[in-house]
Amino acid sequence: MIVPPALFLLVAAAVAAVVPRRTGHAAGVLAALGALVVALTTPLGTATDATLFGFPARPVAVDGFTRVVGGALAFIAAANTVYAYGSGADRRETAIALAYAGASLGAVFAGDWLTLVVCWELMAVAATLIVWRSTAGRVGYRYAVYHQIGGALLIAGVVAHYAATGSFVYAEGIATGLPRLLAAAGVLVNVGMLGVHVWIVDTYPRPSVTASVVLCGLTTKVGVYTLVRVVPGRNVLLAYAGGAMLLFGVTMAILQTDLRRLLSYHIVSQVGYMVAGVGVASGLGYGGAMAHLANNVLYKTLLFMIAGVVLIETGTENLKKLGGLGRAMPATAAAFAVAALAISGIPGFSGFVSKGMVVDSVDAAGLDALWWMLLLGGVGTVISFAKIAYYAFVRADPYGHDPGCATTAQITAMGGIAAVVVGFGLFPDLLLDLLPAGGDAAKVFAASQFEKALGVATVGLVAFAGLRRPLKRVTAVPDLDRVYHPTGSILRDSVVRATTGVADALGQRRRSTGVAVLRAASVDAGRPASIGRSVLLLTLVAALVVVFLLS
């Protein structure tokens, strides 16, 4: 019988919450490495049947996708714990982060929708606690409400699926029709689909550096993985939606001056590659999407680690106020070089492998417009990271910062991730052999792939050289939150006034007519008064939830 990989991290979370800080972080690293071993060595096809809430369930099921994604999440949980220790995170934050990673592994290894939903909600709760610990006020509440709405839609889809099929165990996706529509809508909230992407850029730049590192690598990636389960088969609309995410995210990233906000928009753009591969739904498309998911977990986390070190050591993450870090922080600069080259798809780094697979799957599917969208998005990615490299690491420091170096634990975490990123780039079979359909390293290293990648990089660098001066004049760039939040505030105030008015009116009526009259009227209407009031209350609560989402 397989030990669920999630259990390692959940137990470590409980331990880390009560033992001394050093012991708790050590337990977290060991637990994550144990989960990694189980994820990579458990034979394909292994499944554990059980009963959950009285229903037949399959809490653990292993296939090629779970192995790739689960392995990436377990490894990054170990690296995150080392980084958290070196960055001064307290034991409670690390305990919550381990629980969050454990719930994510539980969702990935789930073989039934009921287990998935339980882990999905545990992820939402743990992530919300991480945000609330360092981000007070409306940002934390908006984060919570977004994910509870997404979770509610997913649960509704799963319940409708059970009503249609009589089973929670995975088969051929969620039942078509309303169940699939509801479940897909819920998952797309977590993915950060355009229109609901604002929770990413609203939240990830705000909390502590260790919280940002933990958050950036899990929620959207588990969402993409779940999307494969929910919506199997080709979906051209979904593929083009991925292309739109890529172009929008990378365009907004180019215009940012805040380092973590820039990287947050790149979460939207990089998830776009994955969604495009899922929409194509060929073996190459799925393989490319999952490989890019695993790679993105690695180098995106590495980039947020670098941003955290920069913020800790300089006191700012505004690119206009940075400079000279290549000389002052050589280890951090080297880690940035690896991550930037990987996310830009440069040969020799992991992003080159998975991006090429996604682009080739789109080409094979005959989606020519989407193919050009992906290439244009690649050019934008090069521009973004050329911008970071120039302002933060290459140019002379205009403000005279005297930053220290990253701690030993921070360098260890960043170096470990960077080594894997380079390893997957130079020896792609290490990654491709984990995929269900495998892969062909010869195609990865075909001359056409090098020409395409180097052409994109050249165009991107030339474009940055031409855009550097205009970009210096860009300040705040509006997004949908400029519409959502003021509108939400107005609606919130309106609902509060309306609720108060209704409550006052009901109270006055009760005082004037008496409880008996109200009860009799309710009985005459065919329902108890308490039910009527409950319906009113639930309606008002639902309205308030939507309002808080927008406020």
Side-chain angles (χ1 to χ4, degrees):
M1 179 177 177
I2 180 177
V3 177
L7 188 60
F8 287 85
L9 291 168
L10 294 176
V11 171
V15 171
V18 296
V19 301
R21 179 175 177 271
R22 177 177 294 183
T23 305
H25 282 81
V29 173
L30 292 174
L33 293 177
L36 173 63
V37 171
V38 172
L40 296 182
T41 60
T42 302
L44 298 180
T46 300
T48 300
D49 292 322
T51 300
L52 183 60
F53 305 130
F55 296 95
R58 188 165 292 162
V60 178
V62 181
D63 63 15
F65 290 161
T66 60
R67 177 175 284 181
V68 171
V69 179
L73 297 187
F75 175 76
I76 215 64
N80 284 348
T81 307
V82 174
Y83 182 87
Y85 179 77
S87 303
D90 62 42
R91 57 188 176 88
R92 290 183 178 85
E93 180 176 308
T94 297
I96 298 170
L98 289 169
Y100 177 40
S104 301
L105 276 177
V108 169
F109 278 89
D112 69 274
W113 300 111
L114 195 56
T115 301
L116 172 71
V117 162
V118 171
C119 294
W120 192 272
E121 291 304 301
L122 288 175
M123 283 176 59
V125 171
T128 300
L129 291 175
I130 291 173
V131 174
W132 280 357
R133 277 184 60 84
S134 55
T135 306
R138 295 179 180 177
V139 173
Y141 283 105
R142 284 197 294 265
Y143 183 91
V145 173
Y146 265 109
H147 289 283
Q148 288 309 308
I149 289 178
L153 289 168
L154 176 60
I155 291 170
V158 167
V159 170
H161 169 81
Y162 181 80
T165 65
S167 174
F168 285 117
V169 177
Y170 287 165
E172 296 299 322
I174 291 286
T176 56
L178 182 61
R180 183 170 293 186
L181 180 64
L182 290 170
V187 172
L188 290 174
V189 172
N190 268 34
V191 166
M193 183 59 66
L194 288 186
V196 290
H197 68 280
V198 291
W199 69 262
I200 297 175
V201 293
D202 185 38
T203 307
Y204 286 5
R206 310 289 186 95
S208 67
V209 296
T210 50
S212 288
V213 165
V214 170
L215 292 168
C216 76
L218 298 179
T219 297
T220 54
K221 314 310 182 295
V222 174
V224 172
Y225 168 84
T226 306
L227 192 62
V228 175
R229 304 296 188 189
V230 170
V231 190
R234 178 165 171 158
N235 189 313
V236 174
L237 180 61
L238 184 64
Y240 274 99
M245 290 179 68
L246 170 59
L247 291 182
F248 175 83
V250 80
T251 301
M252 291 296 288
I254 291 170
L255 300 175
Q256 303 305 308
T257 57
D258 180 279
L259 185 52
R260 284 192 292 173
R261 188 170 176 85
L262 186 158
L263 295 177
S264 297
Y265 274 111
H266 263 295
I267 292 176
V268 178
S269 72
Q270 293 295 301
V271 168
Y273 279 106
M274 305 170 208
V275 172
V278 172
V280 171
S282 62
L284 186 59
Y286 280 141
M290 293 300 102
H292 201 61
L293 188 161
N295 285 332
N296 200 255
V297 167
L298 296 170
Y299 56 65
K300 183 62 68 177
T301 300
L302 179 55
L303 286 164
F304 270 88
M305 286 180 174
I306 293 161
V309 172
V310 169
L311 178 57
I312 291 170
E313 297 301 330
T314 66
T316 184
E317 52 188 327
N318 187 328
L319 292 175
K320 294 184 177 181
K321 298 180 180 180
L322 292 172
L325 299 183
R327 293 177 294 277
M329 306 169 67
T332 303
F336 172 77
V338 170
L341 292 170
I343 197 171
S344 300
I346 302 302
F349 300 88
S350 60
F352 169 73
V353 177
S354 52
K355 275 190 176 183
M357 294 173 68
V358 173
V359 172
D360 285 351
S361 73
V362 169
D363 189 26
L367 304 177
D368 294 340
L370 181 57
W371 186 86
W372 283 106
M373 291 170 74
L374 298 186
L375 257 60
L376 184 58
V379 171
T381 302
V382 173
I383 295 173
S384 301
F385 287 93
K387 177 180 178 178
I388 296 175
Y390 173 76
Y391 282 103
F393 294 96
V394 175
R395 71 168 181 167
D397 182 3
Y399 288 88
H401 293 111
D402 185 22
C405 293
T407 65
T408 300
Q410 288 173 331
I411 292 174
T412 300
M414 294 189 296
I417 298 173
V420 175
V421 168
V422 174
F424 283 165
L426 296 177
F427 307 101
D429 282 339
L430 294 173
L431 177 61
L432 299 179
D433 287 348
L434 297 175
L435 297 170
D440 189 346
K443 291 183 179 180
V444 170
F445 291 131
S448 60
Q449 300 287 11
F450 284 87
E451 292 170 0
K452 184 167 51 185
L454 295 177
V456 166
T458 300
V459 173
L461 291 173
V462 171
F464 172 70
L467 293 171
R468 184 168 63 85
R469 290 186 182 279
L471 287 176
K472 286 180 63 175
R473 296 191 290 270
V474 176
T475 54
V477 182
D479 198 350
L480 289 175
D481 53 358
R482 295 287 185 90
V483 177
Y484 287 177
H485 299 172
T487 302
S489 296
I490 295 171
L491 290 175
R492 181 196 61 221
D493 294 342
S494 300
V495 170
V496 169
R497 286 195 296 268
T499 303
T500 303
V502 170
D504 289 344
L506 289 176
Q508 180 63 36
R509 183 182 178 191
R510 182 172 182 176
R511 286 191 294 272
S512 62
T513 61
V515 176
V517 174
L518 283 176
R519 184 171 297 155
S522 299
V523 171
D524 289 342
R527 56 181 180 175
S530 60
I531 294 179
R533 290 195 296 272
S534 297
V535 170
L536 175 62
L537 178 61
L538 289 173
T539 302
L540 293 174
V541 168
L544 285 171
V545 165
V546 174
V547 167
F548 271 118
L549 172 63
L550 298 175
S551 64

